[in-house]
Amino acid sequence: MKIVAVCGMGIGTSVLLKMNTEKALRQMGADADADVEAADIGTARGAARTANLVLTSAELVDEIGAVPAQVIVIDNFTDVAEITEKLRPVIEN
């Protein structure tokens, strides 16, 4: 499963979201099956074409546009519990 963690610049916040997503995946025992990458909004549009999931903030959803990947809004990129809660239904299907 390919997951893209997206923020506006692709430098700090998306890396933080990537790291916390990897932590959430480890806690669910799904880290071996997932590849998480950090991206800025411009890169995310291309990366999302081959991704299964895009994680981002509500403010950036419209900028990502129509992509085949499922887009999940994360309200707090530092909250591993929120990331786990939102990823669990997708991971367990």
Side-chain angles (χ1 to χ4, degrees):
M1 171 177 284
K2 181 178 174 184
I3 301 171
V4 182
V6 180
C7 74
M9 299 299 288
I11 300 170
T13 310
S14 63
V15 173
L16 176 66
L17 180 57
K18 173 187 182 292
M19 292 170 45
N20 285 333
T21 299
E22 290 169 339
K23 183 183 271 186
L25 290 167
R26 273 194 304 277
Q27 291 175 354
M28 291 186 283
D31 54 318
D33 300 327
D35 177 35
V36 185
E37 67 180 67
D40 62 76
I41 191 69
T43 304
R45 291 183 194 112
R49 291 188 185 127
T50 59
N52 301 95
L53 287 176
V54 174
L55 305 180
T56 192
S57 64
E59 295 82 14
L60 296 177
V61 169
D62 289 341
E63 291 188 45
I64 293 171
V67 294
Q70 180 179 352
V71 178
I72 296 176
V73 172
I74 303 296
D75 297 313
N76 183 348
F77 287 12
T78 64
D79 188 350
V80 177
E82 178 195 354
I83 296 167
T84 301
E85 177 186 322
K86 291 183 174 177
L87 280 179
R88 187 175 302 282
V90 177
I91 297 299
E92 292 180 349
N93 278 333

